[in-house]
């Protein structure tokens, strides 16, 4: 009977598709070990370079507004809301939530609207 630890050494080493077999992480440059930089360091260095004004990089990406309408989520459950209560202005996803919305006290409703950023204390 063979020793199970010997079978481990006989198995072929896995070759991952995403790895470059020629990559060496222990390279040295002029006798010094190569230092790796984090993304934060790379972005900080990129900010200090003399870029033209119209260049897009990681620190100044600006996208145009979306053509699709924003999704509305239920204030109670967080599910995608199909309905809005006209009395309280809370979004809800189904009839179970509608009965919950109608039975909420006004201070809780105000809290939900404040969390969503839709509460206007003046009007």
């Amino acid at each position: 009977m063979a020793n199970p630890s010997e079978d481990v050494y006989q198995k072929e080493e896995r070759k991952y598709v995403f790895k470059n077999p020629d990559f060496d992480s222990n390279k040295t440059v002029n006798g010094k070990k190569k230092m790796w930089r984090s993304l934060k360091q790379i972005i900080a260095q990129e900010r200090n370079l003399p870029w033209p004004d119209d260049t897009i990089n990681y620190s100044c990406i600006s996208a145009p507004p979306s053509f699709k309408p924003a999704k509305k989520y239920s204030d109670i459950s967080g599910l995608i809301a199909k309905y809005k209560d006209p009395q309280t202005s809370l979004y809800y996803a189904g009839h179970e939530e509608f009965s919950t919305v109608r039975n909420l006290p006004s201070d809780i409703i105000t809290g939900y609207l404040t969390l969503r950023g839709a509460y206007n204390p003046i009007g």
Side-chain angles (χ1 to χ4, degrees):
M1 182 177 251
N3 188 358
S5 63
E6 291 175 5
D7 293 335
V8 174
Y9 294 112
Q10 292 175 354
K11 287 184 180 177
E12 191 173 320
E13 192 174 318
R14 287 186 184 178
K15 294 183 180 179
Y16 297 104
V17 178
F18 60 88
K19 283 190 166 184
N20 182 357
D22 299 327
F23 180 75
D24 183 20
S25 64
N26 298 325
K27 286 187 178 179
T28 57
V29 178
N30 297 332
K32 294 182 180 179
K33 188 176 178 183
K34 183 177 178 178
M35 296 298 295
W36 295 96
R37 294 182 297 162
S38 67
L39 180 61
K40 190 174 185 179
Q41 292 170 328
I42 293 170
I43 291 173
Q45 181 184 12
E46 200 176 77
R47 260 189 235 123
N48 294 332
L49 293 174
W51 295 102
D53 291 335
D54 59 343
T55 303
I56 297 175
N57 53 26
Y58 286 112
S59 58
C60 69
I61 292 178
S62 58
S66 175
F67 291 117
K68 294 183 179 181
K71 288 187 178 180
K72 295 178 176 78
Y73 295 97
S74 169
D75 292 311
I76 306 296
S77 66
L79 299 172
I80 293 178
K82 297 180 182 178
Y83 314 104
K84 180 180 179 181
D85 182 26
Q87 285 183 351
T88 61
S89 298
L90 290 177
Y91 293 118
Y92 60 95
H95 63 86
E96 299 91 0
E97 290 183 22
F98 177 71
S99 61
T100 306
V101 166
R102 286 293 173 104
N103 293 328
L104 288 174
S106 63
D107 58 336
I108 302 293
I109 293 170
T110 312
Y112 278 126
L113 292 173
T114 305
L115 283 174
R116 189 173 14 122
Y119 177 65
N120 186 0
I122 298 171

